[in-house]
Amino acid sequence: MAYAITQTCCNDASCVSVCPVNCIHPTPDEPEFGTTDTLYIDPRACIDCGACADACPVDAVFPVDRLRGPDTVSGDLNRDWFRDHPNDHAWGAPSFPRSLPAEVGALRIAVVGTGPSAGYTAQELLRGTSAEITMIDRLPVTGGLLRHGVAPDHQSTKRIAESFASVFHDPRLRMHLNVEIGTDLTHQELAAHHHAVVYAVGAAADRRLGIPGEDLPGSLPATAFVGWYNAEPTVPADAVELSAERVVVVGNGNVAVDVARILLTDPDRLAATDIADHALAALRRSRVREVVLLARRGPGQAAWSRAEFLALRRLPGVEVVVADHPEVRAAIEAAAEAGAEGGSEAGSGTASGAALLAGLPLVPHDGDAAPGPGRRIVLRFLSAPVELSGEGRVEALTVERTAPAADGRVEGTGVRDVLRAGLVVRSIGHRGVPLPGLPFDERTGTVAHRAGRVVDPATGRPLPGTYVVGWAKRGPSGGIGANRACARETVGALLDDATARALPVPEAGRGDFERLVRKRRPDAVGLRELRAVDRAERERGEAEGRPRVKLATVAELLAAGLRR
């Protein structure tokens, strides 16, 4: 019986490299890689060896005959993908791990950040070189978006953290947490103690709507909401108020879907996860019964992944409906007809955003009235936010109906509606922020670079020994697994420079840097303290039947680290 990859796939392609018959696609060398929601196993070529299941860091691969519940569609999805993307599974050119000439000697490399892109970078360096690694993070705990961005009901996705745990415990790696570059230490000081510095700092800012009332209480970015339910230490426990019956989420990407799902999931189900205690308590008291996912474009341009949307449709006790609109109705009908002619059902490997809506009720939506009985998610397309209003806090969002234009964009129609809501969450994307001492591309919101080498925009010349990886490099696109190939490119550039003797020689040693950190941040957290935090959270979780109970403030994290 063939294996199939399920919807929890992280796309890091660990399975591709171990498949003896090359039947898992798209591979990192193929153009579709990074644009599909998951990878796929060709059931006609699979030899049922199970190597892919053993290699998968998020437990997303199973024999087809063992698929259960929502995963039962995965066998068909894997088969259908290869029907639409025929592949002879021919081997490409072999790829060998990079290494350095012996005469280069041991390098000292700093990695700023501890999220997935930083983890993959350190992993590449430790496997292929004898380098000594210094990892630095502004928070007193590791993980980045893996800890503070992945929804708590996606525990399988978080298992990839286990693959990074061995990296963080490597004897050649030193860790300095609760240390911020640009505040506690400068880039110049970091560079003076290392041959190279790799920035893996993500995209910390949110895109703004740019409309009146956006800064009213009750209007917040999705990063704040996600950080709130994930115990991100910089987000206060009272950052989210759930006393209103309707919440509007502006956007329809995966993060917007996460927000909607968490708002309406039965808190008893979330109680078995690592959701923040304060968020769980607030959700138990919540009065929210309707979440509106607002999109200025049509269903064909929906940004959610198929996996996330199908999970939303299966949410127990929650009805998912589509706000009726002639253009939306036509798009759904056309997509359903195309799917029927092609022999595939909505939700297949090539289903469009509109096709995924087939079978959902199309209902009139009066956002000026109180929500009806029960809990529901309303998908409202072709509606653009124009103003937030309220006395002291958000009470309503005014939207303008839009229509598709000839050039593929949408334009306002002048028709406006009012949606009564006590909370508006904008989920329209992230944006990088400038880093002190580094060039920044305002247009793209990324660190200026070429193939991972940070460059001076005025001259185009690389800054010696300075590199970037992850969202700070390529912008806020791609899931966790996309960082693996991204890190490989950046590390490849670094190793090329090391081989060419183009890296600067550090002015001071490793011990000097550690003394500098202790002087600037006496409360810096190292591996021993991190282990103590991990034990404390797991012990608290074990007592409550949960994977862990997260410590939600910097003070709590530091206190737990001291109790080692």
Side-chain angles (χ1 to χ4, degrees), residues 114-132:
T114 59
S117 62
Y120 282 120
T121 298
Q123 193 175 72
E124 284 285 318
L125 288 166
L126 290 170
R127 286 177 177 176
T129 75
S130 59
E132 296 178 339

Side-chain angles (χ1 to χ4, degrees), residues 22-276:
N22 196 36
C23 73
I24 304 175
H25 298 270
T27 69
D29 298 324
E30 294 171 341
E32 297 91 351
F33 185 79
T35 64
T36 59
D37 300 336
T38 71
L39 305 183
Y40 301 92
I41 297 174
D42 187 346
R44 298 168 303 173
C46 177
I47 61 172
D48 197 24
C49 68
C52 52
D54 293 337
C56 179
V58 294
D59 198 22
V61 187
F62 297 93
V64 171
D65 60 352
R66 287 181 51 199
L67 297 173
R68 298 291 184 271
D71 288 336
T72 54
V73 301
S74 296
D76 292 338
L77 296 180
N78 280 246
R79 181 199 63 223
D80 290 351
W81 195 84
F82 285 97
R83 181 199 62 208
D84 299 325
H85 301 81
N87 196 301
D88 62 6
H89 310 306
W91 296 98
S95 176
F96 300 100
R98 289 293 309 274
S99 60
L100 288 173
E103 59 269 21
V104 171
L107 301 176
R108 291 201 303 275
I109 301 171
V111 179
V112 183
T114 59
S117 62
Y120 282 120
T121 298
Q123 193 175 72
E124 284 285 318
L125 288 166
L126 290 170
R127 286 177 177 176
T129 75
S130 59
E132 296 178 339
I133 311 297
T134 303
M135 295 196 82
I136 301 167
D137 200 296
R138 64 184 180 86
L139 295 177
V141 67
T142 59
L145 283 182
L146 192 57
R147 177 182 170 100
H148 299 125
V150 177
D153 57 348
H154 285 1
Q155 288 297 306
S156 61
T157 303
K158 298 190 178 193
R159 288 179 190 148
I160 200 169
E162 297 173 8
S163 68
F164 295 140
S166 60
V167 173
F168 296 154
H169 287 74
D170 191 287
R172 286 188 283 135
L173 188 146
R174 302 284 178 87
M175 191 172 292
H176 301 286
L177 309 178
N178 202 36
V179 176
E180 186 167 10
I181 303 303
T183 301
D184 303 314
L185 298 170
T186 67
H187 166 70
Q188 290 74 18
E189 288 172 326
L190 192 58
H193 293 80
H194 298 86
H195 292 88
V197 182
V198 182
Y199 285 89
V201 294
D206 291 88
R207 297 187 183 276
R208 292 178 60 83
L209 296 170
I211 61 175
E214 185 172 6
D215 294 319
L216 278 171
S219 167
L220 70 159
T223 50
F225 190 91
V226 171
W228 172 76
Y229 65 59
N230 271 326
E232 212 275 8
T234 64
V235 179
D238 60 356
V240 176
E241 170 62 51
L242 301 177
S243 59
E245 294 182 325
R246 178 182 289 120
V247 173
V248 176
V249 181
V250 182
N252 61 8
N254 284 345
V255 175
V257 169
D258 282 346
V259 171
R261 190 182 65 253
I262 294 299
L263 279 167
L264 293 180
T265 294
D266 184 343
D268 287 341
R269 296 184 67 194
L270 294 174
T273 73
D274 63 351
I275 189 170

Side-chain angles (χ1 to χ4, degrees), residues 125 127 217 245 320 356 376 401 414 427 494 520 524:
L125 288 166
R127 286 177 177 176
E245 294 182 325
V320 181
L356 290 172
R376 72 175 186 173
R401 298 186 189 183
S427 182
L494 189 158
R520 298 284 178 82

